[in-house]
Amino acid sequence: MPSSVEPARSAGHHTTGPPGPAPAPATPGDGSNRVIPFGRRPTRTGRGRRTPQPAQPERVVAPVDSPQQRLAEDVEAWFLAHRATLTDESAAHVYRTTLDFLQLMLDSSHAEQRLNADEHQHLTGMMRLLRDAPDAL
Protein backbone atom coordinates (compact mmCIF):
# COMPACT_ATOMS: atom_id res chain seq x y z
CA MET A 1 0.00 0.00 0.00
CA PRO A 2 1.53 3.37 -0.96
CA SER A 3 2.26 5.89 1.77
CA SER A 4 0.18 9.05 1.98
CA VAL A 5 3.24 11.03 3.00
CA GLU A 6 5.30 12.50 0.18
CA PRO A 7 9.04 12.97 0.66
CA ALA A 8 10.08 16.57 1.14
CA ARG A 9 11.60 18.22 -1.90
CA SER A 10 15.05 19.71 -1.65
CA ALA A 11 15.22 23.47 -1.10
CA GLY A 12 16.87 24.07 -4.47
CA HIS A 13 14.25 22.21 -6.54
CA HIS A 14 11.33 24.24 -7.92
CA THR A 15 8.67 22.87 -10.21
CA THR A 16 7.07 25.10 -12.81
CA GLY A 17 4.15 22.94 -13.80
CA PRO A 18 1.99 20.03 -12.81
CA PRO A 19 3.65 16.79 -11.74
CA GLY A 20 4.33 14.24 -14.40
CA PRO A 21 6.43 14.11 -17.53
CA ALA A 22 7.31 17.40 -19.16
CA PRO A 23 5.37 18.12 -22.36
CA ALA A 24 7.23 17.74 -25.61
CA PRO A 25 8.39 21.05 -27.07
CA ALA A 26 6.23 22.35 -29.90
CA THR A 27 7.63 22.24 -33.35
CA PRO A 28 6.99 25.19 -35.64
CA GLY A 29 4.01 24.72 -37.93
CA ASP A 30 2.31 21.86 -36.08
CA GLY A 31 -0.43 24.07 -34.62
CA SER A 32 0.43 23.28 -30.99
CA ASN A 33 2.20 26.56 -30.27
CA ARG A 34 -0.64 28.50 -28.67
CA VAL A 35 1.31 30.80 -26.38
CA ILE A 36 -0.08 34.29 -25.94
CA PRO A 37 2.61 36.74 -24.84
CA PHE A 38 1.50 38.95 -21.98
CA GLY A 39 4.66 41.02 -21.82
CA ARG A 40 4.74 44.78 -22.12
CA ARG A 41 3.90 45.96 -25.60
CA PRO A 42 6.14 48.61 -27.04
CA THR A 43 4.49 51.98 -27.56
CA ARG A 44 7.08 53.20 -30.03
CA THR A 45 7.36 52.53 -33.73
CA GLY A 46 10.62 51.55 -35.37
CA ARG A 47 11.73 55.17 -35.76
CA GLY A 48 11.31 56.20 -32.13
CA ARG A 49 7.94 57.88 -32.52
CA ARG A 50 5.14 56.96 -30.17
CA THR A 51 2.23 55.06 -31.66
CA PRO A 52 -1.08 56.91 -31.50
CA GLN A 53 -3.10 56.08 -28.40
CA PRO A 54 -6.93 56.18 -28.42
CA ALA A 55 -8.36 59.39 -27.03
CA GLN A 56 -9.91 59.13 -23.59
CA PRO A 57 -13.52 60.35 -23.40
CA GLU A 58 -14.02 63.53 -21.45
CA ARG A 59 -15.75 63.16 -18.13
CA VAL A 60 -19.10 64.91 -17.96
CA VAL A 61 -19.73 66.46 -14.57
CA ALA A 62 -23.13 67.78 -13.52
CA PRO A 63 -23.22 71.40 -12.41
CA VAL A 64 -22.20 71.48 -8.77
CA ASP A 65 -24.32 74.44 -7.76
CA SER A 66 -27.55 73.71 -9.66
CA PRO A 67 -30.87 73.97 -7.80
CA GLN A 68 -31.44 70.24 -8.33
CA GLN A 69 -28.04 69.42 -6.83
CA ARG A 70 -28.66 71.67 -3.82
CA LEU A 71 -32.08 70.08 -3.27
CA ALA A 72 -30.56 66.59 -3.49
CA GLU A 73 -27.91 67.56 -0.93
CA ASP A 74 -30.58 68.97 1.40
CA VAL A 75 -32.63 65.78 1.16
CA GLU A 76 -29.50 63.68 1.73
CA ALA A 77 -28.58 65.79 4.77
CA TRP A 78 -32.07 65.11 6.16
CA PHE A 79 -31.60 61.38 5.62
CA LEU A 80 -28.12 61.42 7.15
CA ALA A 81 -29.49 63.18 10.23
CA HIS A 82 -31.88 60.22 10.54
CA ARG A 83 -29.07 57.65 10.07
CA ALA A 84 -29.95 56.75 6.48
CA THR A 85 -28.69 57.68 3.01
CA LEU A 86 -30.24 57.95 -0.42
CA THR A 87 -27.10 56.43 -1.94
CA ASP A 88 -28.33 53.10 -0.54
CA GLU A 89 -30.51 51.54 -3.26
CA SER A 90 -33.06 50.10 -0.84
CA ALA A 91 -33.47 53.44 0.97
CA ALA A 92 -33.80 55.26 -2.39
CA HIS A 93 -36.44 52.73 -3.48
CA VAL A 94 -38.51 53.27 -0.33
CA TYR A 95 -38.10 57.04 -0.71
CA ARG A 96 -39.34 56.97 -4.31
CA THR A 97 -42.21 54.63 -3.44
CA THR A 98 -43.33 57.02 -0.71
CA LEU A 99 -43.22 59.96 -3.10
CA ASP A 100 -45.22 57.97 -5.66
CA PHE A 101 -47.91 57.42 -3.04
CA LEU A 102 -47.90 61.11 -2.14
CA GLN A 103 -48.31 61.94 -5.83
CA LEU A 104 -51.33 59.64 -5.92
CA MET A 105 -52.78 61.59 -2.98
CA LEU A 106 -52.19 64.88 -4.84
CA ASP A 107 -53.87 63.51 -7.95
CA SER A 108 -56.85 62.33 -5.88
CA SER A 109 -57.13 65.71 -4.15
CA HIS A 110 -57.11 67.43 -7.53
CA ALA A 111 -59.77 65.03 -8.87
CA GLU A 112 -61.96 65.79 -5.84
CA GLN A 113 -61.39 69.52 -6.43
CA ARG A 114 -59.59 69.98 -3.12
CA LEU A 115 -56.58 71.31 -5.08
CA ASN A 116 -56.97 73.66 -8.02
CA ALA A 117 -55.01 73.11 -11.24
CA ASP A 118 -52.24 75.61 -10.33
CA GLU A 119 -51.70 74.10 -6.87
CA HIS A 120 -51.66 70.58 -8.30
CA GLN A 121 -49.16 71.54 -11.01
CA HIS A 122 -46.89 73.31 -8.50
CA LEU A 123 -46.90 70.44 -6.01
CA THR A 124 -46.42 67.84 -8.76
CA GLY A 125 -43.37 69.74 -10.00
CA MET A 126 -41.93 69.74 -6.50
CA MET A 127 -42.55 65.99 -6.20
CA ARG A 128 -40.72 65.32 -9.48
CA LEU A 129 -37.67 67.26 -8.28
CA LEU A 130 -37.69 65.42 -4.98
CA ARG A 131 -38.08 62.07 -6.72
CA ASP A 132 -34.93 62.73 -8.79
CA ALA A 133 -32.80 63.58 -5.73
CA PRO A 134 -31.14 60.13 -5.36
CA ASP A 135 -29.96 60.32 -8.99
CA ALA A 136 -28.21 63.66 -8.37
CA LEU A 137 -26.05 62.29 -5.53
Side-chain angles (χ1 to χ4, degrees):
M1 176 175 225
S3 170
S4 63
V5 178
E6 299 258 342
R9 293 190 174 131
S10 65
H13 178 72
H14 299 286
T15 59
T16 58
T27 57
D30 70 352
S32 63
N33 189 3
R34 295 182 183 171
V35 177
I36 300 172
F38 287 108
R40 185 175 172 200
R41 293 187 347 215
T43 58
R44 296 183 180 265
T45 62
R47 295 195 171 158
R49 291 175 285 174
R50 291 205 174 266
T51 56
Q53 299 295 318
Q56 297 295 322
E58 285 189 39
R59 214 172 144 203
V60 177
V61 179
V64 176
D65 202 31
S66 68
Q68 293 85 1
Q69 183 66 36
R70 288 193 306 263
L71 177 63
E73 290 169 359
D74 288 345
V75 172
E76 178 67 358
W78 180 268
F79 269 73
L80 290 172
H82 292 86
R83 298 184 182 157
T85 178
L86 289 177
T87 58
D88 175 38
E89 268 308 308
S90 62
H93 176 72
V94 170
Y95 171 75
R96 287 184 179 116
T97 301
T98 303
L99 291 177
D100 289 344
F101 183 73
L102 289 173
Q103 182 63 53
L104 179 65
M105 289 175 51
L106 290 176
D107 295 341
S108 297
S109 295
H110 178 62
E112 293 176 357
Q113 298 178 354
R114 295 177 185 257
L115 286 175
N116 66 34
D118 290 338
E119 293 168 332
H120 180 260
Q121 183 179 2
H122 176 74
L123 292 171
T124 296
M126 290 174 62
M127 296 295 284
R128 285 189 186 130
L129 289 173
L130 286 171
R131 195 173 195 294
D132 294 338
D135 297 328
L137 297 175

